């Protein structure tokens, strides 16, 4: 019968259930699952035998919130993610600039603010490293860019530039721009970014695909497709890669909602949704809406003022009545809405908007989700299940790293801090969790994320971990079972992407999207030590 037999495996069946046995794969599908002896009878001399050696075999992971273009392009430029130290950042930046005199603009990403005094680097620091041309360094969370004086001059940005809606230019005590541009303010330097090079976006997606396959990801949701402050529009690049056969991942294109425009842009979303219908692995029925920023920058929308900035409750990027209108309009036209909400006020506003859509439109079947949910007011926890809203969670963030301890917690009032990444409480109230990395904001390894979700500690193998994050769990009562974490990256994630009848489970008839690890994690131990040894999509090893 030819095909492929994956034998001697610990198979994950979902809902925390495991089974020892084998999979038989033929024509890209799982043809059979069972005990080793029974499956062996299906094999012939031409069957490829893959011995899992007792290790865990899982459905392919789905990353339901990631930025592959940003992550991939970062891998092609100055990648600061392997280090976590200001001096190390500076060495990498200086060395890259020296090695690339031909580049008119230097770009990179991955820096953390906690390594700098006050949490923010300055343009004067960057001027010393790159004095002769513009330099643009995106923060690890993509909510800020650090630029030098040459970049500000090239973009025509002066000290008297007004802050845009949904963004801020950081200034010193004398009113001078420090070179840090937050959220929507990043658009001010968009015109000088070297993103017009032919093939750059395609190269970024290729690099991202290789990185994500290495950690077992067979499906991703690109959370920013369209012109935005987060980077170039990747829609045509995805179409080209799918047409050429180079795209070997199932991709949900989350079309970007332009906050400066209105409902008229939905027609463009519909046109793009139609354009991907004939493609092999692309879908475009999700729309991404940003409702606030991040707590570290004090731009997340909070119910109570920030503890260290009493006059500031953050900013709702879209006025609530308008948010209600746009979510209802998208829901009525068959789009699933992916809402970014970090602060508890933003989370409430997004839940209110979905509730409005349900009331206005009735049961449309919209599979809406709210991403990040760093802080959720206790009264809003049961609303996720009541409204059938998925909580799109970044489990790797639920740890006491320096970024959290030094930049985030000082601003959060005590009540809000007790609701920090409330994964356990969300599950207890019946919510569905879907896993996402937000890469390159944080590492894309799902096993690391599931480890942190279950322990509220950093993975022991993560170079960004601190002694505190390795030993002191963040709100341990909010930990979730390993099975719940695995489901968030497999079955539940497949559902939110409307792939539940195609993939997300190791069941006969489903696509052979399969991940083989180097050890058995069925006991719940060793996730942070485990590695992916093989990733399959439609039965093809990637």
């Amino acid at each position: 019968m030819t095909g492929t037999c994956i034998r001697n495996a610990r198979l994950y069946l979902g809902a925390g259930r495991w089974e020892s046995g084998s999979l038989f794969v033929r024509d890209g599908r799982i043809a059979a699952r069972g005990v080793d002896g029974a499956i062996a009878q299906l094999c012939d001399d031409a069957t490829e035998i893959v011995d899992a050696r007792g290790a865990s075999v899982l459905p392919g992971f789905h990353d339901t919130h990631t930025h592959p273009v940003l992550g991939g392009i970062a891998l092609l430029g100055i990648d600061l993610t392997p280090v976590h130290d200001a001096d190390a950042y500076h060495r990498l930046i200086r060395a890259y600039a020296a090695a690339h005199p031909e580049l008119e603009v230097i770009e990179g990403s991955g820096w953390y603010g906690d390594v700098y005094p006050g949490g923010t680097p300055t343009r004067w620091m960057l001027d010393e490293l790159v004095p002769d041309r513009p330099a643009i360094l995106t923060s690890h969370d993509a909510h800020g860019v650090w630029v030098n004086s040459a970049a500000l001059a090239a973009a025509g940005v002066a000290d008297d530039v007004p802050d845009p809606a949904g963004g801020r230019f950081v200034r010193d005590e004398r009113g001078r721009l420090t070179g840090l541009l937050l959220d929507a303010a990043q658009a001010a330097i968009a015109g000088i970014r070297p993103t017009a090079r032919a093939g750059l976006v395609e190269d970024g997606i290729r690099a991202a695909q290789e990185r994500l396959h290495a950690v077992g990801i067979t499906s991703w949701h690109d959370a920013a497709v369209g012109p935005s402050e987060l980077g170039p529009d990747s829609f045509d690049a995805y179409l080209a890669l799918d047409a050429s056969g180079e795209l070997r991942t199932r991709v949900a294109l989350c079309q970007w909602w332009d906050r400066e425009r209105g409902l008229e842009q939905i027609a463009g979303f519909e046109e793009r949704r139609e354009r991907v219908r004939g493609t092999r692995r692309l879908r475009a029925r999700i729309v991404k809406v940003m409702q606030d920023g991040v707590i570290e920058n004090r731009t997340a929308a909070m119910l109570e003022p920030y503890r260290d900035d009493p006059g500031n409750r953050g900013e709702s990027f879209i006025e609530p009545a308008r948010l209600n209108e746009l979510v209802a309009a998208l829901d009525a036209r068959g789009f699933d809405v992916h809402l970014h909400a970090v602060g508890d006020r933003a989370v409430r506003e997004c839940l209110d908007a979905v509730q409005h859509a349900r009331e206005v439109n009735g049961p449309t079947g919209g599979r809406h989700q709210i991403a990040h949910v760093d802080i959720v007011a206790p009264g809003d926890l049961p609303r996720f299940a009541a409204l059938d809203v998925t909580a799109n969670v970044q489990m790797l963030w639920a740890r006491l790293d320096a970024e959290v301890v030094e930049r985030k917690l000082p601003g959060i009032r005590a009540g809000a801090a007790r609701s920090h990444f409330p994964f356990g409480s969300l599950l207890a109230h019946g919510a569905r969790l879907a896993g996402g990395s937000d890469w390159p904001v944080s590492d894309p390894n799902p096993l690391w994320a599931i480890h942190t979700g279950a322990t509220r500690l950093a993975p022991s193998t993560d170079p960004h971990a601190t002694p505190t994050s390795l030993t002191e769990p963040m709100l341990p009562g909010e930990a979730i079972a390993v099975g719940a974490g695995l489901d968030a990256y497999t079955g539940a994630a497949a559902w939110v992407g409307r792939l539940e009848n195609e993939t997300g489970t190791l069941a006969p008839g489903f696509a052979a999207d399969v991940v083989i690890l180097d050890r058995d994690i069925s006991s719940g131990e060793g996730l942070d030590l485990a590695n992916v040894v093989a990733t399959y999509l439609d039965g093809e090893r990637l």
Side-chain angles (χ1 to χ4, degrees), residues 178-487:
T178 66
L180 187 59
L181 286 59
L182 304 180
D183 292 309
Q186 299 177 59
I189 51 93
I192 67 166
R193 284 183 179 272
T195 53
R197 173 175 74 77
L200 176 64
V201 176
E202 288 89 340
D203 287 346
I205 295 172
R206 292 186 188 98
Q209 182 170 250
E210 182 176 352
R211 174 76 177 94
L212 296 175
H213 285 166
V215 292
I217 293 168
T218 56
S219 172
W220 73 58
H221 294 207
D222 188 322
V225 176
S228 77
E229 64 260 27
L230 295 183
D233 185 2
S234 56
F235 184 81
D236 289 337
Y238 275 114
L239 284 179
L241 291 172
D242 184 81
S244 70
E246 293 178 85
L247 186 67
R248 297 186 297 162
T249 306
R250 306 182 197 281
V251 180
L253 306 175
C254 303
Q255 301 190 66
W256 183 266
W257 182 269
D258 184 346
R259 300 188 294 276
E260 301 302 314
R261 299 174 61 200
L263 301 183
E264 75 281 355
Q265 62 191 295
I266 297 177
F269 298 156
E270 291 174 323
E271 187 269 336
R272 285 188 163 193
R273 182 172 60 183
E274 290 302 311
R275 285 180 64 189
V276 305
R277 285 196 188 277
T279 63
R280 188 178 180 193
R281 291 191 172 117
L282 297 173
R283 303 172 309 285
R285 66 174 298 165
I286 301 176
V287 174
K288 167 72 176 297
V289 179
M290 292 279 291
Q291 182 57 6
D292 70 345
V294 294
I295 293 171
E296 292 87 333
N297 294 339
R298 307 299 185 257
T299 54
M302 305 294 289
L303 290 170
E304 298 293 332
Y306 287 101
R307 190 157 49 118
D308 56 0
D309 189 3
N312 179 22
R313 293 195 305 134
E315 182 177 357
S316 298
F317 291 171
I318 301 173
E319 195 273 330
R322 187 166 163 248
L323 183 67
N324 289 355
E325 179 187 38
L326 74 89
V327 171
L330 290 167
D331 176 72
R333 288 166 173 78
F335 286 100
D336 300 327
V337 187
H338 184 132
L339 296 137
H340 165 117
V342 166
D344 49 8
R345 189 175 85 244
V347 171
R348 178 169 295 175
E349 290 166 349
C350 291
L351 289 168
D352 289 347
V354 175
Q355 181 173 330
H356 174 76
R358 303 287 195 216
E359 293 170 351
V360 169
N361 298 332
T364 63
R367 298 185 183 185
H368 309 313
Q369 55 189 307
I370 302 177
H372 309 318
V373 294
D374 290 33
I375 307 291
V376 182
D380 288 326
L381 291 167
R383 299 181 68 197
F384 281 83
L387 294 168
D388 196 20
V389 172
T390 299
N392 188 309
V393 296
Q394 287 60 61
M395 288 181 265
L396 191 58
W397 297 358
R399 48 195 253 194
L400 293 173
D401 281 331
E403 185 82 354
V404 170
V405 173
E406 297 173 10
R407 297 191 62 221
K408 195 173 186 183
L409 291 181
I412 304 175
R413 294 186 179 271
R418 289 192 291 272
S419 299
H420 206 176
F421 298 121
F423 308 148
S425 294
L426 283 163
L427 282 179
H429 284 89
R432 179 189 305 104
L433 303 186
S437 67
D438 209 8
W439 182 66
V441 174
S442 49
D443 195 276
N445 187 343
L447 297 171
W448 279 9
I450 296 164
H451 164 88
T452 296
T455 65
R456 310 288 285 198
L457 295 169
S460 62
T461 44
D462 186 346
H464 294 286
T466 63
T468 299
S469 66
L470 290 168
T471 58
E472 297 182 25
M474 172 193 282
L475 299 177
E478 294 294 349
I480 62 175
V482 168
L486 287 169
D487 291 345

Side-chain angles (χ1 to χ4, degrees), residues 26-262:
R26 185 177 60 241
D27 298 328
R29 318 297 290 188
I30 297 172
R33 187 190 76 216
V35 297
D36 288 340
I39 299 302
Q41 297 180 33
L42 302 176
C43 303
D44 56 28
D45 292 342
T47 301
E48 178 188 11
I49 306 298
V50 178
D51 189 351
R53 301 180 183 274
S56 293
V57 173
L58 314 164
F61 294 125
H62 300 235
D63 190 331
T64 60
H65 187 109
T66 185
H67 299 280
V69 175
L70 290 178
I73 290 176
L75 294 173
L76 303 174
I78 309 174
D79 182 13
L80 301 177
T81 58
V83 296
H84 193 90
D85 174 80
D87 289 339
Y89 290 165
H90 297 178
R91 286 194 295 272
L92 289 172
I93 296 167
R94 193 190 302 273
Y96 185 88
H100 294 279
E102 78 285 359
L103 296 179
E104 295 181 0
V105 178
I106 298 296
E107 276 201 297
S109 66
W111 58 268
Y112 280 70
D114 64 89
V115 305
Y116 292 102
T120 57
T122 70
R123 62 182 166 111
W124 301 289
M125 295 176 184
L126 196 50
D127 289 347
E128 295 182 7
L129 306 173
V130 188
D132 58 336
R133 53 200 147 145
I136 303 169
L137 283 300
T138 302
S139 64
H140 77 100
D141 59 12
H143 284 272
V145 292
W146 169 29
V147 302
N148 63 357
S149 298
L152 292 174
V157 180
D159 288 339
D160 59 356
V161 63
D163 288 342
R168 180 162 61 93
F169 295 95
V170 177
R171 306 168 200 270
D172 66 11
E173 66 281 355
R174 294 165 55 186
R176 299 178 300 173
L177 296 177
T178 66
L180 187 59
L181 286 59
L182 304 180
D183 292 309
Q186 299 177 59
I189 51 93
I192 67 166
R193 284 183 179 272
T195 53
R197 173 175 74 77
L200 176 64
V201 176
E202 288 89 340
D203 287 346
I205 295 172
R206 292 186 188 98
Q209 182 170 250
E210 182 176 352
R211 174 76 177 94
L212 296 175
H213 285 166
V215 292
I217 293 168
T218 56
S219 172
W220 73 58
H221 294 207
D222 188 322
V225 176
S228 77
E229 64 260 27
L230 295 183
D233 185 2
S234 56
F235 184 81
D236 289 337
Y238 275 114
L239 284 179
L241 291 172
D242 184 81
S244 70
E246 293 178 85
L247 186 67
R248 297 186 297 162
T249 306
R250 306 182 197 281
V251 180
L253 306 175
C254 303
Q255 301 190 66
W256 183 266
W257 182 269
D258 184 346
R259 300 188 294 276
E260 301 302 314
R261 299 174 61 200

Side-chain angles (χ1 to χ4, degrees), residues 500-523:
E500 74 275 15
N501 296 320
E502 175 70 11
T503 184
T505 183
L506 299 179
F510 281 75
D513 298 351
V514 179
V515 174
I516 303 176
L517 305 185
D518 63 355
R519 67 193 65 214
D520 178 12
I521 62 167
S522 61
S523 68

